[in-house]
Amino acid sequence: MKKRHEQKLIILSFGLLILFSAPIILLFNSEKEVLGFPLIHVYIFAVWLFSALTSLIILKKYDE
């Protein structure tokens, strides 16, 4: 794997560490709902989906 791809994955990991930290998650802990789902669940799923897609894009470029 190229060094720049490793660096991108490390930056993504640190970003996820911040986004999944308790103070940030608790900002979304409210009674509000999005399409019937609690806001905290929508936030956690959206961050997870974003990270999975970003990792996929980075790793696909590695294959080229």
Side-chain angles (χ1 to χ4, degrees):
M1 182 179 291
K2 293 182 181 177
K3 188 73 169 174
R4 67 176 188 245
H5 296 305
E6 291 176 5
Q7 292 171 349
K8 289 177 186 177
L9 291 174
I10 290 171
I11 291 171
L12 178 64
S13 298
F14 282 121
L16 290 174
L17 182 68
I18 293 169
L19 291 174
F20 282 130
S21 65
I24 302 297
I25 287 180
L26 291 176
L27 290 174
F28 295 94
N29 190 16
S30 66
E31 296 295 323
K32 295 180 183 176
E33 293 184 352
V34 177
L35 299 173
F37 296 104
L39 185 61
I40 192 168
H41 293 157
V42 173
Y43 170 75
I44 290 172
F45 180 74
V47 170
W48 171 80
L49 184 63
F50 170 76
S51 68
L53 292 176
T54 305
S55 298
L56 178 70
I57 290 170
I58 292 170
L59 292 175
K60 282 289 187 180
K61 287 184 178 181
Y62 166 67
D63 288 338
E64 293 177 353

